[in-house]
């Protein structure tokens, strides 16, 4: 039987204004358009004005808008986050870039006790329109303190929004929406997504909070893929299609606020759910989504539920250990088959070279 190609939902010819951009270029373009639209928008952080320009996501901004609106900062996360909050309270719209999410831990008091709560504590008389770009990743050997996905910690706290775009289209639209939002927003970027490509309209647009997207229609099992795990879920769906299992794939996009209606409607149809996160499963995004599905659908639908994410240990550095630590398309597909057939099948699909890279296809 020939191997089917990955078919994200709703493929269509590109509109005349659509171009194919990388995730990196989509982030850069969103920042550039927002800085041009609103003089109060500024971008700063460690190495944003470095020649490497944060993987290229800040390239050209200092030349176009000047060092007053795009500048590098000392390695001082707590102090610079405090400065960012002060700027936001004073009416600016700062975008604070953190090369790694791990170091947000140094600024948690600023983010969760000040940024997230000021609007409430001052009776709505102040806004904190702050965007924190925070990157997570793997596979470049930096292990325990440079690879963590901590977005679940921020989902726990009211007052701060969390978004984890997985496509170039959403990277641009979500960053624009985050910059225009009057509340603090944690914008999560996975480095493995940075060089994925997909259609991105040239004009400015927003992808507003609280709406998930079905990226592949299916009837047998629902796969929710967070951040880079969206790619793995689409690949898993292709493995499953080859054995006759029809998976529906959902990209939640915004993790807080979370669009549970779209996820629950899917699970009510399929009866089976796997949430795959690029983080630990304990008390994380996968746990929250699974719990809400169970609360809403218990007594309505017979359910089979599963979470997948990091293994319950610190992030390793060795590639052979990383293979065991992170979910991948093959392990997601194997778990989905077990869920659908309600038995341990002992099946692991052979790796397919045609699924190693995915270009996202719209329209969105």
């Amino acid at each position: 039987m020939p191997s089917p190609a990955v078919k994200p939902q709703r493929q269509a010819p590109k509109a005349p204004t659509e171009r194919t951009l990388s995730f990196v270029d989509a982030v850069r373009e969103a920042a550039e358009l927002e800085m041009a639209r609103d003089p109060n928008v500024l971008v700063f952080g460690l190495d944003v004005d470095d020649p490497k320009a944060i993987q290229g996501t800040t390239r050209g901004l200092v030349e176009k808008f000047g060092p007053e609106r795009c500048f590098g900062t000392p390695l001082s996360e707590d102090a610079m986050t405090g400065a960012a909050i002060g700027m936001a309270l004073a009416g600016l719209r700062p975008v604070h870039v953190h090369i790694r999410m791990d170091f947000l831990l140094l600024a948690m008091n600023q983010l969760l006790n000040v940024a997230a709560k000021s609007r409430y504590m001052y009776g709505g008389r102040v806004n904190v329109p702050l965007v924190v770009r925070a990157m997570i990743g793997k596979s470049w050997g930096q292990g325990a303190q440079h690879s963590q996905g901590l977005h679940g910690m921020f989902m726990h706290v009211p007052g701060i929004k969390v978004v984890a775009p997985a496509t170039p289209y959403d990277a641009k639209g979500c960053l624009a929406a985050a910059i225009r939002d009057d509340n603090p927003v944690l914008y999560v970027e996975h480095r493995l997504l940075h060089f994925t490509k997909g259609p991105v309209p040239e004009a400015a647009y927003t992808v507003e909070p609280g709406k998930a997207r079905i990226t592949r229609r299916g009837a047998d099992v629902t796969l929710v893929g967070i951040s880079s795990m969206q790619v793995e879920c689409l690949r898993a769906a292709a493995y499953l299609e080859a054995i006759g299992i029809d998976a529906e794939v959902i990209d939640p996009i915004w993790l807080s606020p979370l669009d549970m209606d779209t996820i629950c409607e899917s699970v009510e149809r399929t009866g089976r759910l796997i949430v795959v996160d690029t983080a630990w499963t304990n008390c994380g995004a996968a746990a929250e989504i699974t719990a809400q599905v169970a609360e809403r659908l218990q007594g309505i639908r017979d359910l089979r539920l599963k979470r997948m994410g990091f293994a319950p240990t610190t992030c390793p550095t060795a590639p052979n250990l990383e293979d065991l630590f992170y979910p991948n398309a093959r392990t997601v597909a194997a778990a989905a088959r077990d869920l659908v057939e309600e038995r341990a099948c002992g099946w692991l699909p052979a790796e397919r070279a045609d699924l190693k890279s995915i270009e996202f296809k719209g329209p969105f």
Side-chain angles (χ1 to χ4, degrees):
M1 178 185 295
S3 298
V6 175
K7 295 178 180 177
Q9 186 212 6
R10 292 178 288 180
Q11 296 182 47
K14 293 178 182 177
T17 56
E18 284 186 343
R19 310 144 302 152
T20 296
L21 287 188
S22 69
F23 193 109
V24 161
D25 288 334
V27 171
R28 183 202 53 72
E29 187 167 271
E32 181 178 345
L33 288 172
E34 291 306 304
M35 293 178 79
R37 187 185 68 85
D38 184 348
N40 290 318
V41 178
L42 59 152
V43 175
F44 66 94
L46 183 68
D47 292 341
V48 300
D49 53 355
D50 180 88
K52 293 183 179 178
I54 316 293
Q55 304 272 58
T57 58
T58 58
R59 193 177 308 286
L61 297 182
V62 66
E63 292 82 2
K64 184 166 185 176
F65 299 102
E68 295 81 14
R69 296 184 62 196
C70 180
F71 52 91
T73 64
L75 185 59
S76 183
E77 288 83 358
D78 189 29
M80 296 317 303
T81 301
I85 293 169
M87 295 176 199
L89 288 168
L92 299 176
R93 292 186 177 271
V95 180
H96 190 191
V97 182
H98 290 261
I99 298 173
R100 292 180 179 84
M101 181 182 283
D102 310 72
F103 301 126
L104 291 185
L105 294 173
L106 294 162
M108 290 297 268
N109 182 60
Q110 297 278 12
L111 290 169
L112 300 186
N113 269 338
V114 183
K117 294 179 173 61
S118 290
R119 187 172 188 175
Y120 171 82
M121 292 172 63
Y122 293 101
R125 287 175 292 175
V126 302
N127 296 320
V128 185
L130 163 67
V131 178
V132 177
R133 283 183 51 201
M135 293 166 211
I136 55 179
K138 55 173 279 192
S139 298
W140 70 100
Q142 299 189 40
Q145 297 178 326
H146 294 74
S147 306
Q148 300 171 93
L150 303 173
H151 40 280
M153 292 185 180
F154 293 87
M155 290 173 65
H156 184 67
V157 178
I160 185 167
K161 297 177 181 176
V162 182
V163 63
T167 68
Y169 178 91
D170 288 335
K172 178 176 176 178
C174 290
L175 182 56
I179 291 172
R180 298 180 194 186
D181 202 298
D182 284 337
N183 301 287
V185 178
L186 177 68
Y187 181 91
V188 180
E189 299 172 37
H190 200 296
R191 285 173 180 251
L192 292 186
L193 294 171
H194 269 164
F195 299 102
T196 55
K197 295 182 178 178
V200 179
E202 189 167 351
Y205 61 92
T206 60
V207 175
E208 295 295 329
K211 184 59 183 172
R213 179 177 295 113
I214 298 174
T215 53
R216 185 190 190 280
R217 291 282 183 185
D220 296 328
V221 60
T222 301
L223 306 178
V224 175
I226 296 169
S227 183
S228 65
M229 289 302 153
Q230 177 62 203
V231 178
E232 300 301 328
C233 285
L234 288 170
R235 291 172 177 157
Y239 283 118
L240 291 166
E241 186 179 7
I243 60 169
I245 294 175
D246 190 18
E248 181 148 299
V249 181
I250 295 177
D251 182 352
I253 308 174
W254 287 85
L255 298 175
S256 181
L258 187 58
D259 177 9
M260 285 304 304
D261 289 344
T262 296
I263 296 172
C264 286
E265 287 167 8
S266 174
V267 180
E268 189 168 0
R269 282 187 287 104
T270 66
R272 307 172 183 98
L273 169 68
I274 298 180
V275 185
V276 191
D277 196 3
T278 180
W280 288 287
T281 58
N282 188 40
C283 301
E288 177 60 26
I289 292 170
T290 306
Q292 288 203 40
V293 168
E295 286 178 344
R296 290 201 192 188
L297 298 182
Q298 60 184 341
I300 299 174
R301 181 73 157 93
D302 183 30
L303 299 172
R304 300 288 184 272
L305 309 173
K306 184 175 180 61
R307 295 169 292 155
M308 298 183 73
F310 294 174
T313 184
T314 51
C315 302
T317 55
N320 59 329
L321 295 178
E322 284 191 327
D323 288 343
L324 300 172
F325 183 80
Y326 296 100
N328 60 56
R330 297 165 66 215
T331 57
V332 173
R337 181 174 182 179
D338 289 351
L339 217 62
V340 171
E341 298 191 11
E342 299 183 18
R343 65 186 180 92
C345 300
W347 173 74
L348 186 68
E351 189 165 10
R352 280 171 41 184
D354 63 311
L355 297 181
K356 286 187 176 179
S357 64
I358 287 181
E359 278 198 16
F360 292 98
K361 298 176 182 178
F364 297 99

